[in-house]
């Protein structure tokens, strides 16, 4: 009987925890933007964190199914959209930080 290639639970759990940390970081960014009176950055951070929170359950179930079936049915547009949003927010945050120096 062949051994499974991966542990079906731990990889998906680590990925979910990483996304949760990202969401918490976005909420912290939103709070700092509120303190700095930047409503656009605050709104963008809260919107991105909310969208990540909503899509988290589906992403977790998809990860578990991919590991069980050893398939690669990923959602590249969702990954690309999230990555672009996070990079844009990081650039905005760095620009605001540099402006205060």
């Amino acid at each position: 009987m062949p051994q499974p290639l991966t542990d079906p639970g731990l990889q998906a759990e680590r990925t979910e925890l990483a996304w949760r940390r990202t969401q918490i970081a976005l909420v912290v960014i939103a709070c700092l933007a509120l303190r700095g009176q930047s409503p656009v950055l605050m709104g963008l951070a809260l919107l991105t964190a909310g969208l990540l929170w909503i899509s988290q359950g589906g992403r977790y179930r998809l990860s578990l199914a991919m590991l069980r079936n050893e398939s690669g049915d990923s959602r590249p547009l969702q990954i690309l959209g999230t990555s672009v949003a996070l990079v844009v927010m990081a650039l905005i945050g760095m620009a605001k930080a540099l402006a205060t120096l």
Side-chain angles (χ1 to χ4, degrees):
M1 196 146 122
Q3 294 290 329
L5 296 176
T6 60
D7 183 356
L10 296 180
Q11 183 177 355
E13 292 291 329
R14 285 192 304 267
T15 302
E16 182 183 11
L17 290 172
W19 281 111
R20 295 290 181 204
R21 285 191 301 271
T22 301
Q23 293 163 357
I24 291 168
L26 289 173
V27 170
V28 168
I29 289 170
C31 292
L32 291 174
L34 178 63
R35 182 175 154 222
Q37 288 112 18
S38 178
V40 174
L41 181 59
M42 179 190 70
L44 182 61
L46 289 177
L47 178 67
T48 305
L51 291 174
L52 286 173
W53 186 270
I54 291 168
S55 66
Q56 183 62 35
R59 188 173 30 251
Y60 177 67
R61 286 189 297 278
L62 180 67
S63 295
L64 284 178
M66 285 173 36
L67 288 170
R68 271 195 300 270
N69 302 333
E70 295 182 6
S71 67
D73 300 330
S74 65
R75 295 180 180 162
L77 290 179
Q78 182 182 23
I79 294 168
L80 178 65
T82 302
S83 300
V84 168
L86 293 175
V87 168
V88 167
M89 290 191 56
L91 291 174
I92 291 170
M94 287 191 301
K96 299 242 355 131
L98 290 174
T100 61
L101 292 177

